[in-house]
Amino acid sequence: MTNSVGKIVSINKDLYTVRENNNVFSLSVRGKLKNTKLTVGDNVEFNKETKTIENVLERKNTLERPLISNIDKLFIVCSNKVPAFSTYLLDKFLVLTEVNNIKPIIIITKMDLLNYKEKKELKNTLSYYEKLGYKVYKNTDVHKIKKEMKNNVVAVSGQTGAGKSTLLNIIDKNLHLETGEVSKALGRGKHTTRLVSLIYTNKSLIADTPGFSALDLKLTKEEIKRGFIEFNKNCKYKSCCHTKEEGCEVIKLVENKKILQSRYDSYIKLISEAKDESKW
Ligand SMILES: Nc1nc2c(ncn2[C@@H]2O[C@H](COP(=O)(O)OP(=O)(O)OP(=O)(O)O)[C@@H](O)[C@H]2O)c(=O)[nH]1
Ligand SMILES: [Mg+2]
Ligand SMILES: [Zn+2]
């Protein structure tokens, strides 16, 4: 019997749930694959008779947190209040998607908690990202978000309490994912979603993921630099770090407020946290 090909949609200890078209199979892993760390999102060859995974196909990308592979789009869910909006976190996620070749979609939640002035400020910030070519939606733009999902494998990420599970429950009323009250005393959330799994809805496979309080990128300085798309477009010096070089257009554009100061601050902070020790 020839092997079938499917996608791992969830992993529970040694049990792998694999989806092939509209069927799901509970499989185990055998032989040489035992030493390979399989992830949700992996495309695998499996044997329906022995119910075993035989081979894993090459990945196009892997995210570490949540651990998931072969993602087409990342929904970056950004809350405005509890937890507060963080351009640093947004920029961090954007770098992650640029480097991993994933299309980012920015989704803003809790707009209802903002007053007029705060809304105006937020719109200014977001229009900068839109001008860069990033798609920005509110969590109430359900139709547009559904359109983005169709025929794609999507991971939903963002801080704990940002409203990821709530968003998915709105997109598909049958999901009933657990959502949580954000701890008021601490001003930060507790994890409500724990395991990562790909859910089939709206002709898409989508992963609700546990939020986090800190995201470790583990990227090199060069990768981080590549993630700030407008810097590379504007500065004509290929090897420029955009930190202290004379004639650097990026530094000028920050001074002239053409590049968001917060975006440049994110860049400097990320560079200082880069995993490599290379001197710049
Ligand atoms: N006011 C308001 N509250 C929201 C909105 N979206 C989500 N919430 C609330 O925020 C809290 C956290 O929402 P969740 O959907 O559980 O957040 P999460 O991102 O899934 O959190 P984790 O699973 O812990 O990572 C819940 O009490 C939601 O009801 C929104 O647009 N406006
Ligand atoms: Mg959740
Ligand atoms: Zn430069």
Side-chain angles (χ1 to χ4, degrees):
M1 187 177 151
T2 54
N3 279 340
S4 309
V5 175
K7 185 184 274 300
I8 298 178
V9 291
S10 68
I11 302 176
N12 199 341
K13 298 203 177 89
D14 294 330
L15 206 62
Y16 296 77
T17 306
V18 170
R19 188 182 176 94
E20 180 208 30
N21 298 324
N22 281 328
N23 302 312
V24 280
F25 302 87
S26 274
L27 308 173
S28 60
V29 165
R30 142 169 124 174
K32 62 177 170 47
L33 269 185
K34 277 231 149 101
N35 296 322
T36 312
K37 180 123 182 90
L38 296 176
T39 73
V40 168
D42 267 331
N43 297 314
V44 294
E45 290 174 358
F46 66 101
N47 185 317
K48 281 181 189 165
E49 275 168 10
T50 59
K51 294 193 184 314
T52 52
I53 294 174
E54 305 284 334
N55 193 20
V56 56
L57 306 184
E58 200 183 329
R59 292 173 184 158
K60 76 170 184 182
N61 54 46
T62 301
L63 292 184
E64 298 222 350
R65 199 169 169 167
L67 186 60
I68 189 166
S69 302
N70 299 315
I71 295 300
D72 300 313
K73 290 182 181 174
L74 186 73
F75 284 1
I76 306 171
V77 178
C78 301
S79 161
N80 280 296
K81 287 205 171 165
V82 234
F85 189 80
S86 162
T87 45
Y88 173 64
L89 206 56
L90 172 58
D91 294 333
K92 214 166 172 178
F93 268 122
L94 290 173
V95 171
L96 191 70
T97 55
E98 293 294 343
V99 171
N100 285 292
N101 208 6
I102 299 172
K103 191 166 188 242
I105 309 287
I106 302 165
I107 298 178
I108 309 296
T109 67
K110 312 199 189 188
M111 286 281 281
D112 52 300
L113 300 180
L114 296 185
N115 64 32
Y116 178 75
K117 191 169 158 254
E118 289 167 326
K119 263 188 199 152
K120 218 170 147 192
E121 257 169 50
L122 178 74
K123 276 188 184 146
N124 274 340
T125 308
L126 294 177
S127 74
Y128 179 87
Y129 289 91
E130 283 178 310
K131 272 184 222 142
L132 292 183
Y134 293 121
K135 293 245 172 86
V136 181
Y137 301 118
K138 298 183 284 255
N139 59 345
T140 45
D141 295 331
V142 180
H143 283 293
K144 290 179 191 160
I145 295 170
K146 280 186 175 173
K147 230 170 138 184
E148 289 290 349
M149 288 170 65
K150 219 166 235 175
N151 301 321
N152 282 286
V153 179
V154 182
V156 184
S157 62
Q159 270 173 294
T160 188
K164 301 178 291 294
S165 303
T166 304
L167 173 71
L168 289 185
N169 284 339
I170 295 169
I171 287 168
D172 184 340
K173 299 229 167 3
N174 297 316
L175 288 180
H176 306 295
L177 297 171
E178 199 188 341
T179 62
E181 283 300 318
V182 175
S183 157
K184 286 198 180 73
L186 288 168
R188 57 187 147 91
K190 53 178 166 40
H191 293 287
T192 305
T193 306
R194 284 172 202 93
L195 286 174
V196 178
S197 62
L198 280 166
I199 306 162
Y200 184 76
T201 177
N202 211 54
K203 296 206 172 93
S204 135
L205 281 169
I206 190 159
D208 184 18
T209 72
F212 51 83
S213 43
L215 172 71
D216 187 3
L217 274 190
K218 294 204 186 86
L219 295 177
T220 64
K221 292 190 178 75
E222 278 302 328
E223 285 171 323
I224 292 161
K225 187 175 141 181
R226 187 144 56 86
F228 284 76
I229 50 174
E230 77 274 40
F231 293 11
N232 306 322
K233 243 184 279 171
N234 282 307
C235 184
K236 62 185 174 191
Y237 305 115
K238 247 198 148 60
S239 62
C240 185
C241 310
H242 322 307
T243 51
K244 51 193 177 298
E245 293 85 349
E246 223 169 282
C248 168
E249 193 62 21
V250 170
I251 295 174
K252 261 185 234 158
L253 288 171
V254 176
E255 280 167 8
N256 297 334
K257 301 199 181 337
K258 293 280 193 297
I259 285 178
L260 272 190
Q261 180 67 47
S262 63
R263 189 117 165 111
Y264 189 69
D265 294 344
S266 296
Y267 175 70
I268 298 296
K269 191 161 176 213
L270 284 171
I271 291 289
S272 76
E273 292 168 355
K275 73 168 187 187
D276 60 325
E277 299 286 311
S278 65
K279 286 255 182 313
W280 270 31

